[in-house]
Amino acid sequence: MKELLTILSEEVGQAFEKAGVDVSYGTVSLSNRPELCEYQCNGALASAKKFHKNPVETAEAVAQVLSESGTFSEVTVAKPGFLNLKASPEFIRDYVSGMYDDEDRLGAEKTAHPEKLFMDYGGPNVAKPLHVGHLRSAVIGEAVKRLARFEGNEVTADVHLGDFGLQMGLIITELRERKPDLPYFDDSFTGDYPAEAPFTISELEDIYPAASAKSKADEAFHEKALAATKEMQEGKRGYRELQRLIMEISVADLKKNYARLNVDFDLWKGESDCEPYIPGMVEDMKAKGYAHESNGALVVDVEEEGDKKTIPPCMILKSDGAALYDTTDLATLIWRMKDYDPDEVLYVVDSRQELHFIQCFRCAKKTGIVPAEKKLTFLGFGTVNGEGGKPLKTREGGVMRLEYLIQDIEDAMYAKIKESSADMEDSEAHEIAKTVSLAALKYGDLKNQPSKDYIFDLNKFISSEGDTGPYILYTIVRTKSILRKFAEAGGDITNCKPQAPSGASDKALLERIALFSAEVRSAWENLSPNILCAYIYALCNDFNHFYHDTKILTCPDEEKKAGYIADVLLTQRVLEKAIDLLGFAAPEKM
Ligand code: ARG
């Protein structure tokens, strides 16, 4: 189905043509004076100069043509040449009926130009717990992925684990100091290694930061870690096995945490998967004259004319020959292009890494790793702050683990549910708390423009009033409960079809519903799930007005009642589709 405003614009465009002006002036938008009209068109004013016509006269001629169409119930001209429009109830009924009959896509067409998109989000580091900084990449990335797919694009999502060599070397070196007798450190050992890993995830989470701190303070330790990394990369048997175990344990833990966030990936590749491509890439950059030495390091200049600030060169190799963050992102692009040939690679990463991506993107284009016609996009997100506006920390001032944050919000939600429904079974209350708190967390994040920082305010997030996840879910649960009661009273939903709205609140509701496809498209095109959040919040408000305004189940007119029930069902479908695209779900009751 065409979008609502497209249909209206085409109709008004034709009227312009009949009035002797070009069709292109018919663009209709939502009214910015909703108390006056629903839609508006300012084309008469815009056309005045070119067509040497008085805008009021043009608008009146257009209004005359439109008065004969069934699409509008009211067309008025306001000085100095605005067209104020109201859609006819029958037109709205027909439009939403098309959505009603298309349960799967609710009338939304797929894009005419689908692209192959490769997404890089999540970006956790192995052997380190997810912290609050990883929340936004996962939540925004997942929503953007779902939007892109819904629009008909082919998407591959890669978690891009931080698992590069030195990290492993550090862990191995620290483990060797703690448990030197393990068979992995015995070069003469030829038997099978134990099935069980010599550490748990919590031990790993302790080993890694300890090793990392040590290597900064102790040069000898750092050297040992470098040597261990090298040996591991060259295939030393015991170290390879340890690397495998570290990955296995960390990835299992990460998968569990992402599943809890309703976030998933097609690929669980890591930074280290680019290692085989580094030597060839470096040779090529040297041979073609892109890379040169600077203070012992190997760099590629990426400055461009017109830069407002200096963009430092891309660092390809450190003076000791070690690879860096730039190196892994560039070499990773090599296999992404070779194996997936995407039209676009989209990174969802903290805004503070923007410069790194500017450098890498320029270098990848300049050196031909990525052909000129392909898109490299950086979607940077702002920080999650605490009450004071400073990055969210634990009470003790440490890094906030994502797991604890999720637990806090779930516990608070559980307490709230028990408070209002004391007789609910604990297990049911826990289930509901899980679902609702996830919506609270994700919606609280997604409703903000990605680039903006926001304050994590637990009580606000879990409130069932205002622009919150729980408010959206309450509204969905309300639609479900109306439909359940209707069925329990013997109502047959298959007899229900949308009808022409008869009042202000059902008309406003249906007109909002009719905007669904345009809002989803806009959220995708602008990489802004917040656009979809704003839409569903408005839709919930419209629905609740309608609900308070209308006798639905007790409506004495059976035909009217059937129409209302169809409106409720359509509201439910649109809201549930939208929250699914955002990456959360609603419970049956709450
Ligand atoms: N692991 C990195 C970090 O925690 C984020 C990775 C982002 N993605 C990328 N392709 N560099 O900061």
Side-chain angles (χ1 to χ4, degrees):
M1 282 167 71
K2 281 184 187 167
E3 288 176 10
L4 182 81
L5 291 178
T6 307
I7 298 179
L8 298 182
S9 299
E10 282 174 1
E11 174 113 15
V12 175
Q14 277 158 17
F16 267 92
E17 199 163 44
K18 286 199 184 126
V21 179
D22 196 73
V23 278
S24 63
Y25 291 100
T27 306
V28 171
S29 56
L30 291 181
S31 160
N32 50 24
R33 304 273 308 272
E35 70 286 4
L36 282 183
C37 58
E38 296 160 355
Y39 310 96
Q40 64 187 51
C41 171
N42 306 341
L45 286 166
S47 72
K49 239 200 181 135
K50 196 169 166 208
F51 286 80
H52 306 292
K53 285 191 183 205
N54 173 334
V56 172
E57 277 168 25
T58 306
E60 272 164 358
V62 171
Q64 181 57 37
V65 178
L66 291 177
S67 68
E68 275 142 39
S69 101
T71 307
F72 298 101
S73 58
E74 211 179 294
V75 183
T76 50
V77 174
K79 278 183 187 151
F82 297 114
L83 278 160
N84 292 342
L85 310 161
K86 284 189 183 170
S88 77
E90 294 72 27
F91 170 76
I92 293 300
R93 172 201 59 208
D94 292 348
Y95 191 87
V96 299
S97 296
M99 294 176 69
Y100 194 75
D101 294 337
D102 178 12
E103 204 179 323
D104 189 34
R105 298 193 54 84
L106 300 161
E109 280 176 24
K110 292 188 178 177
T111 169
H113 308 285
E115 63 165 18
K116 253 206 260 176
L117 179 69
F118 193 104
M119 284 186 69
D120 177 317
Y121 66 96
N125 300 314
V126 300
K128 272 211 239 174
L130 289 174
H131 58 79
V132 63
H134 293 114
L135 175 71
R136 299 205 74 191
S137 182
V139 169
I140 297 169
E142 183 69 20
V144 169
K145 177 185 75 180
R146 289 166 183 236
L147 288 166
R149 285 198 176 137
F150 185 72
E151 289 297 302
N153 303 288
E154 189 186 312
V155 191
T156 306
D158 178 17
V159 68
H160 199 65
L161 301 165
D163 64 348
F164 201 62
L166 183 59
Q167 215 160 311
M168 298 293 168
L170 285 167
I171 297 171
I172 293 172
T173 308
E174 176 66 15
L175 189 66
R176 183 166 202 151
E177 293 199 348
R178 292 187 187 191
K179 300 180 180 177
D181 298 332
L182 288 172
Y184 313 96
F185 304 118
D186 176 0
D187 291 340
S188 61
F189 184 82
T190 52
D192 289 341
Y193 289 119
E196 191 117 331
F199 38 69
T200 61
I201 184 68
S202 349
E203 280 165 329
L204 266 186
E205 287 172 355
D206 175 53
I207 292 173
Y208 180 58
S212 170
K214 245 192 215 173
S215 107
K216 277 182 198 124
D218 174 353
E219 187 51 36
F221 185 90
H222 182 72
E223 290 300 324
K224 274 194 223 165
L226 281 175
T229 308
K230 197 150 180 277
E231 283 178 287
M232 176 194 78
Q233 284 166 347
E234 283 164 1
K236 185 175 173 132
R237 190 167 163 262
Y239 287 8
R240 275 290 159 119
E241 175 63 6
L242 281 175
Q243 179 193 29
R244 195 187 67 72
L245 291 167
I246 294 167
M247 288 302 285
E248 188 176 279
I249 298 229
S250 289
V251 169
D253 185 64
L254 287 169
K255 283 193 172 159
K256 196 184 79 197
N257 280 297
Y258 281 122
R260 189 158 171 198
L261 282 172
N262 203 5
V263 167
D264 71 77
F265 302 92
D266 307 301
L267 301 178
W268 284 79
K269 298 261 194 191
E271 289 178 12
S272 69
D273 284 288
C274 77
E275 267 164 323
Y277 298 94
I278 295 176
M281 176 178 88
V282 171
E283 275 325 300
D284 194 63
M285 286 178 174
K286 279 191 198 158
K288 293 190 177 138
Y290 293 123
H292 65 89
E293 227 167 84
S294 164
N295 298 326
L298 191 69
V299 304
V300 173
D301 293 324
V302 291
E303 276 171 324
E304 282 173 8
E305 230 172 278
D307 281 348
K308 294 217 171 56
K309 54 177 190 203
T310 35
I311 306 291
C314 231
M315 298 278 277
I316 308 300
L317 294 178
K318 265 204 317 211
S319 50
D320 62 5
L324 298 125
Y325 195 37
D326 289 346
T327 327
T328 59
D329 267 317
L330 286 163
T332 297
L333 275 169
I334 298 179
W335 67 254
R336 286 180 176 169
M337 287 295 141
K338 180 171 81 64
D339 298 344
Y340 293 88
D341 189 35
D343 303 308
E344 177 173 5
V345 184
L346 170 64
Y347 297 80
V348 186
V349 183
D350 193 311
S351 294
R352 287 169 291 190
Q353 294 194 23
E354 182 167 17
L355 180 60
H356 161 74
F357 284 97
I358 293 176
Q359 293 170 299
C360 286
F361 292 175
R362 286 184 178 188
C363 184
K365 290 276 171 103
K366 178 175 178 177
T367 59
I369 291 174
V370 174
E373 71 277 9
K374 309 254 178 188
K375 278 200 274 183
L376 294 171
T377 309
F378 174 67
L379 172 55
F381 53 79
T383 316
V384 182
N385 287 329
E387 313 281 276
K390 290 266 175 316
L392 190 64
K393 292 263 156 67
T394 59
R395 223 164 279 146
E396 294 72 36
V399 183
M400 177 64 108
R401 284 181 68 151
L402 188 51
E403 218 178 323
Y404 298 161
L405 186 82
I406 297 175
Q407 199 57 50
D408 282 355
I409 193 164
E410 198 176 311
D411 292 346
M413 200 64 230
Y414 175 78
K416 216 176 154 172
I417 291 170
K418 283 302 258 185
E419 211 177 287
S420 59
S421 334
D423 48 348
M424 191 185 278
E425 292 277 341
D426 284 357
S427 60
E428 187 179 9
H430 274 298
E431 263 322 294
I432 296 176
K434 245 198 176 90
T435 308
V436 182
S437 60
L438 184 63
L441 184 65
K442 288 186 130 184
Y443 187 88
D445 185 309
L446 291 169
K447 73 173 218 179
N448 303 285
Q449 214 175 297
S451 61
K452 297 258 164 75
D453 298 347
Y454 71 80
I455 292 181
F456 176 80
D457 180 339
L458 189 137
N459 289 321
K460 226 176 171 170
F461 277 34
I462 64 169
S463 164
S464 47
E465 276 152 47
D467 188 9
T468 67
Y471 171 68
I472 307 294
L473 298 197
Y474 261 113
T475 308
I476 295 175
V477 165
R478 172 170 281 164
T479 62
K480 291 186 183 187
S481 123
I482 297 168
L483 296 171
R484 204 182 304 119
K485 284 186 191 142
F486 174 73
E488 279 163 9
D492 181 0
I493 194 87
T494 57
N495 290 333
C496 299
K497 290 266 172 308
Q499 286 171 24
S502 53
S505 65
D506 59 342
K507 188 160 189 224
L509 172 64
L510 295 184
E511 290 189 287
R512 182 80 63 190
I513 285 176
L515 296 175
F516 171 72
S517 58
E519 299 282 356
V520 176
R521 182 183 48 78
S522 168
W524 154 240
E525 285 176 355
N526 294 292
L527 303 179
S528 300
N530 55 299
I531 292 176
L532 190 55
C533 292
Y535 171 69
I536 59 176
Y537 179 52
L539 175 54
C540 287
N541 287 337
D542 288 335
F543 178 78
N544 288 316
H545 278 148
F546 162 71
Y547 173 79
H548 289 297
D549 236 34
T550 316
K551 287 196 170 75
I552 302 174
L553 290 167
T554 53
C555 177
D557 177 337
E558 284 301 320
E559 212 179 306
K560 236 180 172 176
K561 178 158 130 186
Y564 289 151
I565 292 296
D567 298 349
V568 175
L569 179 57
L570 188 53
T571 304
Q572 184 213 317
R573 285 184 187 157
V574 170
L575 286 173
E576 286 208 301
K577 175 62 83 186
I579 63 170
D580 182 53
L581 292 173
L582 293 171
F584 56 92
E588 285 309 304
K589 62 176 203 184
M590 60 192 274

